[in-house]
């Protein structure tokens, strides 16, 4: 059986990780795009653990055989299929113990070329935390600022299509960063561990030392940006202010929150607006609700921006000194400017 450390496993080419932990362990967080092949179901793992504590290792192993036996054929088929697609297979469990060890021993005896991850998921988690604590000594952020609807996420998506290094924190967090941010994401938000792992992946596999990222508060939806990453966003690196007309901001927000949505979305928007009665007053909220009911979406969004959102967040825009101010009304031209800025930063032609 070949054993590999996490730092070496992450460098393997055409590699697939197989996670033999339970489904709930996998959902909390996992390595890269690992394939989940649970040795035990959640309740089975709990029962084996209880027997281990109460009756000892041998009894736990015997019970484990009862749970695993009927799964072996399917596991063999799954691993064989993956082996035909990938040059390297790395199997891991929670701590690199009996679960991954038993699976690796089985497939090793069948002549399959696999690795067992030393220390399991725990070694990966420790590696992620240490990496995030130190990586900003090497990497630099180019932080995109701007008022709501100016197109910051659109810009990051375009940069992604052009293979320019970027981190879409809102996309990873499944939150769009505004009062109605959750509406545009129908998937369950990540756990804190998963959020940190996704950030790690984007930085670890980046092609340059200059990574675009959107200016964010410490909390993004349900999760928190790791301290060193957040410090690098607000204190270090380069800063670009993105601007565009109010008209285009309104159209972009209507596109994201109103148009091309199902009928229920209007009711969800209405519920969100109603939550602002204490902050905005009944008269203002009733006015917004009436505009929504009348289908005057762009008028509603413009009022919401001018009367509430812009005054609330202008201070976060004004507190930075910007290396560049770029107008996003002409998207193609703006993207060209942004990429030129990135190139200049990599060449050392721009000072923080």
């Amino acid at each position: 059986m070949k054993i590999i450390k996490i730092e070496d496993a992450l460098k393997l080419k055409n590699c697939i990780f197989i996670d033999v932990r339970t489904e709930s362990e996998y959902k909390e967080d996992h390595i890269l795009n690992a394939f989940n092949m649970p040795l035990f179901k959640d309740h089975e793992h709990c029962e084996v653990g209880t027997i281990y504590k109460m009756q000892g290792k041998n009894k736990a192993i015997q019970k484990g055989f009862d749970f695993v036996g009927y799964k072996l054929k399917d596991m063999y088929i799954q691993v064989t299929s993956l082996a035909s697609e990938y040059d390297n297979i790395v199997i891991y469990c929670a701590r690199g113990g009996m679960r991954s060890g038993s699976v690796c021993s089985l497939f090793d005896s069948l002549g399959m070329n696999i690795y067992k991850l030393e220390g399991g998921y725990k070694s990966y988690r420790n590696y992620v935390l240490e990496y995030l604590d130190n990586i900003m000594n090497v990497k630099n952020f180019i932080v995109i600022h701007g008022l709501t609807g100016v197109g910051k996420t659109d810009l990051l998506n375009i940069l992604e299509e052009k293979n320019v290094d970027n981190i879409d924190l809102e996309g990873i967090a499944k939150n769009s960063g505004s009062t109605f941010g959750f509406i545009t994401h129908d998937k369950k938000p990540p756990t804190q561990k998963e959020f940190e792992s996704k950030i790690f992946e984007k930085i670890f596999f980046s092609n340059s030392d200059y990574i675009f990222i959107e200016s964010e508060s410490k909390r993004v939806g349900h999760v928190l940006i790791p301290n060193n990453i957040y410090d690098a966003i607000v204190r270090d690196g380069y800063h670009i202010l993105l601007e565009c007309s109010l008209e285009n901001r309104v159209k972009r927000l209507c596109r994201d929150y109103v148009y091309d949505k199902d009928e229920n979305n209007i009711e969800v928007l209405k519920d969100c607006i109603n939550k602002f009665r204490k902050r905005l007053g009944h008269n203002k909220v009733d006015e917004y609700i009436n505009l929504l009911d009348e289908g005057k979406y762009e008028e509603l969004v413009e009022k919401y921006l001018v009367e509430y959102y812009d005054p609330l967040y202008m201070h976060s825009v004004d507190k930075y000194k910007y290396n560049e101010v770029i107008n996003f009304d002409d998207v193609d031209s703006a993207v060209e400017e942004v990429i030129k800025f990135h190139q200049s930063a990599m060449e050392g032609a721009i000072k923080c």
Side-chain angles (χ1 to χ4, degrees):
M1 181 194 309
K2 296 185 291 185
I3 299 177
I4 190 169
K5 295 181 181 293
I6 184 60
E7 52 266 39
D8 297 321
L10 290 169
K11 298 174 184 176
L12 291 174
K13 302 297 184 182
N14 194 29
C15 175
I16 181 72
F17 288 87
I18 297 180
D19 187 330
V20 297
R21 298 176 303 158
T22 63
E23 185 178 355
S24 61
E25 289 175 292
Y26 176 84
K27 285 182 177 179
E28 183 181 20
D29 186 32
H30 52 268
I31 301 175
L32 300 177
N33 295 313
F35 176 80
N36 189 209
M37 189 179 71
L39 193 61
F40 300 123
K41 296 178 180 179
D42 288 318
H43 74 276
E44 293 172 344
H45 184 235
C46 182
E47 186 173 343
V48 170
T50 300
I51 292 174
Y52 186 93
K53 291 178 182 178
M54 303 298 292
Q55 302 179 43
K57 181 178 179 180
N58 288 335
K59 290 290 186 181
I61 291 175
Q62 292 175 32
K63 191 62 179 178
F65 278 124
D66 292 339
F67 290 142
V68 172
Y70 72 95
K71 303 171 186 170
L72 291 179
K73 179 180 178 180
D74 287 340
M75 292 173 68
Y76 175 76
I77 293 172
Q78 289 172 335
V79 174
T80 302
S81 176
L82 291 171
S84 67
E85 299 179 43
Y86 296 92
D87 296 328
N88 296 286
I89 294 177
V90 180
I91 296 177
Y92 71 93
C93 61
R95 295 178 176 83
M98 290 186 63
R99 282 185 286 178
S100 61
S102 60
V103 173
C104 287
S105 294
L106 171 63
F107 290 117
D108 185 59
S109 69
L110 297 174
M112 303 187 72
N113 183 31
I114 57 174
Y115 294 93
K116 174 188 170 185
L117 181 63
E118 182 178 308
Y121 168 78
K122 185 177 181 180
S123 67
Y124 169 75
R125 176 65 180 165
N126 290 337
Y127 186 81
V128 168
L129 293 176
E130 183 178 356
Y131 185 91
L132 294 178
D133 276 345
N134 296 288
I135 190 57
M136 298 318 297
N137 294 326
V138 178
K139 300 287 186 176
N140 298 274
F141 285 140
I142 301 176
V143 187
I144 306 297
H145 301 258
L147 294 171
T148 301
V150 78
K152 301 184 291 293
T153 300
D154 283 1
L155 174 60
L156 292 179
N157 289 338
I158 293 170
L159 293 176
E160 182 71 20
E161 292 173 0
K162 295 181 177 294
N163 295 316
V164 179
D165 292 321
N166 73 91
I167 302 176
D168 180 3
L169 291 171
E170 292 178 353
I172 296 173
K174 304 294 188 295
N175 185 278
S176 294
S178 72
T179 309
F180 313 118
F182 69 91
I183 294 175
T184 57
H185 294 283
D186 56 5
K187 295 182 179 179
K188 184 178 179 180
T191 64
Q192 182 65 33
K193 288 182 179 179
E194 185 181 6
F195 181 64
E196 291 168 0
S197 287
K198 293 299 182 183
I199 294 173
F200 160 78
E201 292 171 20
K202 292 292 289 186
I203 300 176
F204 186 84
F205 293 106
S206 58
N207 297 311
S208 76
D209 289 337
Y210 296 86
I211 303 170
F212 286 96
I213 196 167
E214 183 179 345
S215 177
E216 293 287 354
S217 58
K218 175 71 173 175
R219 177 174 291 279
V220 187
H222 296 271
V223 291
L224 298 172
I225 300 174
N227 289 334
N228 283 19
I229 301 301
Y230 181 71
D231 289 344
I233 292 173
V234 299
R235 297 177 187 173
D236 305 320
Y238 303 100
H239 297 271
I240 292 176
L241 178 62
L242 210 61
E243 297 180 332
C244 79
S245 67
L246 178 60
E247 178 185 3
N248 282 336
R249 292 171 61 204
V250 168
K251 288 180 179 179
R252 184 172 287 112
L253 290 170
C254 284
R255 177 202 68 189
D256 291 342
Y257 294 107
V258 181
Y259 304 143
D260 299 324
K261 302 293 180 182
D262 59 44
E263 295 179 1
N264 185 57
N265 197 64
I266 299 301
E267 293 303 315
V268 175
L269 284 169
K270 189 178 296 186
D271 289 341
C272 290
I273 295 172
N274 272 316
K275 292 177 182 178
F276 280 77
R277 289 190 177 277
K278 187 174 182 180
R279 186 177 301 177
L280 299 176
H282 292 295
N283 291 337
K284 182 56 64 178
V285 169
D286 288 340
E287 179 186 355
Y288 288 170
I289 294 294
N290 288 335
L291 289 172
L292 189 62
D293 287 337
E294 293 169 5
K296 298 179 179 179
Y297 306 128
E298 294 192 6
E299 183 178 344
L300 165 62
V301 170
E302 182 172 334
K303 279 181 170 291
Y304 187 75
L305 288 175
V306 173
E307 297 173 355
Y308 172 70
Y309 226 76
D310 286 0
L312 183 65
Y313 286 96
M314 185 64 75
H315 73 280
S316 65
V317 172
D318 288 342
K319 69 181 181 180
Y320 289 96
K321 180 179 179 181
Y322 295 102
N323 300 93
E324 194 95 17
V325 178
I326 297 177
N327 188 283
F328 204 58
D329 286 320
D330 184 340
V331 174
D332 291 338
S333 177
V335 170
E336 187 176 328
E337 287 186 63
V338 167
I339 291 177
K340 284 182 180 178
F341 184 94
H342 186 246
Q343 185 64 40
S344 296
M346 290 192 294
E347 293 172 352
I350 303 174
K351 294 183 178 181
C352 293

